[in-house]
Amino acid sequence: MEPFRIDIPQSQIDDLHRRLDATRWQPELAGFGWERGVPQDYLKELAAYWRTSFDWRAVEAEFNRYPQFTTEIDGEDIHFLHITSPEPGATPMLLSHGWPGGFIEFADVIGPLTDPAAHGGDPADAFHLVIPSIPGYGFSTLRHTGWDVPRIAFAWAELMRRLGYDRYVVQGGDAGSVISLVHGLVNPEPLIGIHVNMLMTFPSGDPAELADLSETDQQRLQKLGQFDLDQSGYMKIQQTRPQTLGYGLTDSPVGQLAWIIEKFHAWTDESAKVPEDAISRDRLLALVSLYWFTATAGSSAHFYYEGAEAVRAAVSGAVPPPQTRPVGVAVFPHDAFLPIRRIADRDIPTITHWTEFERGGHFAAMEEPELLVEDIRKFVRGLR
């Protein structure tokens, strides 16, 4: 394991500024909002802020406070944060991010999870945290094909073994949720439990399964269908042509910005008129900058290509192998994917903890860090 510090050369920051100054803007139709994509007036203003006001060096300073490392696993260099708690009896936990996320999304939960006493909590709720970057995301390399979810889960198990953790919790949202659940299938022995803040549930096709659904669950099914009709274009492109997509996003910072910021508008709490009503503008741009400076728009999209067959199986209603480890689920009402408990219990018979929140969306660690932290604590307390 090699120590790592974030230190983007100034020449790359200067290059980003030059590209933003030279943006070639498309002609725009009048008379619509976000329904056709990111409005140009909004994007121009956000790009100007990125150019003149956003401070990447502050992001580096924030995360370089934490121990970071890289280690080679199965042919790739995996970047990760390893933050130990001051509490000697802390529970180890691995946090997995998703797309369009990265280790940056956990910034506001690191302190409360590792040092609860310093944040008004109980020291017994402390965690040692391991936060890796998926191959092809951030500072983790992607040199080889074949990095599907089971391979990532095996790599995370190997990482925890190297760190000396033989009993631990895994947690994640978005792709991190899927990785965490598959971790429980391919390497369950060391897992104390699995906590997720996104759970996708797909009907099997059996009419009896959908009989007498509550109004809430019927609305969730409708929302899933609407997602497929109106919001799944990014997924289908990344599942089929990630390499082609990557050329444009890697060459145009405004293209990369628009590709990501649209998802934060669509998937955050519905009370947010613009993404920064839910998540600070600087945090959003820190994530976009991470993709830009590491040129990982295309390599991160390859994750979808590798998982396309598994997604098709899930959508068809295929029941996954049974979990043996306890699972906790946090449901935020404005997530892009809202689970139906009946189907969740069919797929995961070991659910021991289920919380329905009244606010929050897909990016729980950034939108509602306090709610997420407390739910993780409650779940793990129940496992002691």
Side-chain angles (χ1 to χ4, degrees):
M1 294 188 181
E2 298 292 334
F4 182 88
R5 283 180 60 82
I6 307 171
D7 186 16
I8 297 300
Q10 184 61 41
S11 61
Q12 290 193 30
I13 297 174
D14 294 342
D15 176 67
L16 168 63
H17 292 168
R18 283 193 297 270
R19 289 171 182 263
L20 288 170
D21 286 337
T23 300
R24 184 183 182 211
W25 295 98
Q26 63 180 329
E28 185 173 42
L29 301 174
F32 66 90
W34 285 81
E35 66 272 13
R36 299 192 184 203
V38 184
Q40 189 167 126
D41 287 348
Y42 171 79
L43 193 63
K44 281 185 174 181
E45 198 273 329
L46 186 60
Y49 182 91
W50 194 13
R51 168 64 178 88
T52 62
S53 301
F54 173 72
D55 184 359
W56 172 255
R57 295 302 185 199
V59 177
E60 292 184 338
E62 179 181 10
F63 285 94
N64 283 336
R65 293 181 299 154
Y66 303 121
Q68 299 175 66
F69 304 88
T70 60
T71 188
E72 187 273 324
I73 300 177
D74 198 9
E76 302 296 348
D77 297 327
I78 303 301
H79 166 258
F80 64 98
L81 283 67
H82 183 203
I83 307 140
T84 56
S85 171
E87 304 296 334
T91 301
M93 180 163 61
L94 185 147
L95 300 177
S96 292
H97 67 83
W99 183 91
F103 65 89
I104 286 173
E105 68 188 73
F106 297 113
D108 295 328
V109 303
I110 290 174
L113 288 173
T114 57
D115 193 2
H119 294 80
D122 185 343
D125 290 327
F127 295 91
H128 302 306
L129 295 183
V130 179
I131 309 175
S133 296
I134 295 171
Y137 286 72
F139 300 106
S140 288
T141 64
L142 184 66
R143 304 184 185 99
H144 308 92
T145 61
W147 276 93
D148 58 5
V149 167
R151 189 172 177 182
I152 295 168
F154 276 119
W156 285 185
E158 172 61 15
L159 175 60
M160 295 300 277
R161 185 194 67 78
R162 292 184 188 182
L163 292 171
Y165 295 130
D166 56 7
R167 295 286 288 166
Y168 54 90
V169 176
V170 291
Q171 197 284 332
D174 193 80
S177 167
V178 181
I179 293 167
S180 298
L181 291 167
V182 171
H183 196 141
L185 300 178
V186 302
N187 194 55
E189 290 78 11
L191 294 191
I192 300 169
I194 304 163
H195 184 278
V196 298
N197 57 274
M198 184 202 79
L199 183 65
M200 294 184 290
T201 54
F202 298 100
S204 65
D206 181 358
E209 190 174 68
L210 302 180
D212 303 321
L213 281 182
S214 68
E215 182 178 349
T216 295
D217 284 343
Q218 290 177 27
Q219 291 173 349
R220 291 181 177 185
L221 269 182
Q222 293 170 0
K223 185 172 183 178
L224 185 63
Q226 186 62 27
F227 174 89
D228 185 57
L229 287 174
D230 184 58
Q231 295 188 32
S232 63
Y234 81 97
M235 181 184 296
K236 292 174 181 176
I237 292 173
Q238 296 190 162
Q239 284 176 340
T240 57
R241 297 296 183 273
Q243 187 74 12
T244 302
L245 173 68
Y247 294 122
L249 300 187
T250 303
D251 191 57
S252 168
V254 165
Q256 178 69 93
L257 176 63
W259 190 250
I260 288 178
I261 211 69
E262 179 189 282
K263 301 310 164 201
F264 281 93
H265 175 263
W267 299 346
T268 49
D269 192 292
E270 291 178 3
S271 65
K273 295 181 180 179
V274 290
E276 55 264 45
D277 289 343
I279 302 167
S280 76
R281 176 173 283 195
D282 285 333
R283 188 68 76 204
L284 293 169
L285 289 172
L287 266 175
V288 175
S289 297
L290 178 66
Y291 280 81
W292 175 258
F293 288 130
T294 57
T296 49
S299 58
S300 63
H302 279 276
F303 173 86
Y304 283 78
Y305 186 95
E306 301 290 357
E309 184 175 345
V311 170
R312 286 191 289 270
V315 171
S316 71
V319 178
Q323 287 282 353
T324 60
R325 310 313 298 154
V327 174
V329 181
V331 182
F332 291 86
H334 302 294
D335 199 341
F337 306 96
L338 292 171
I340 295 173
R341 181 66 190 265
R342 182 186 304 180
I343 301 176
D345 287 333
R346 176 204 74 185
D347 292 346
I348 308 173
T350 57
I351 293 174
T352 62
H353 174 94
W354 184 284
T355 307
E356 299 263 353
F357 290 102
E358 295 182 356
R359 66 179 190 270
H362 188 66
F363 305 97
M366 291 187 284
E367 293 182 69
E368 300 292 345
E370 293 180 0
L371 294 181
L372 180 63
V373 165
E374 186 54 33
D375 200 66
I376 293 170
R377 291 171 176 170
K378 287 181 180 179
F379 170 63
V380 176
R381 283 180 207 141
L383 304 178
R384 294 174 185 150

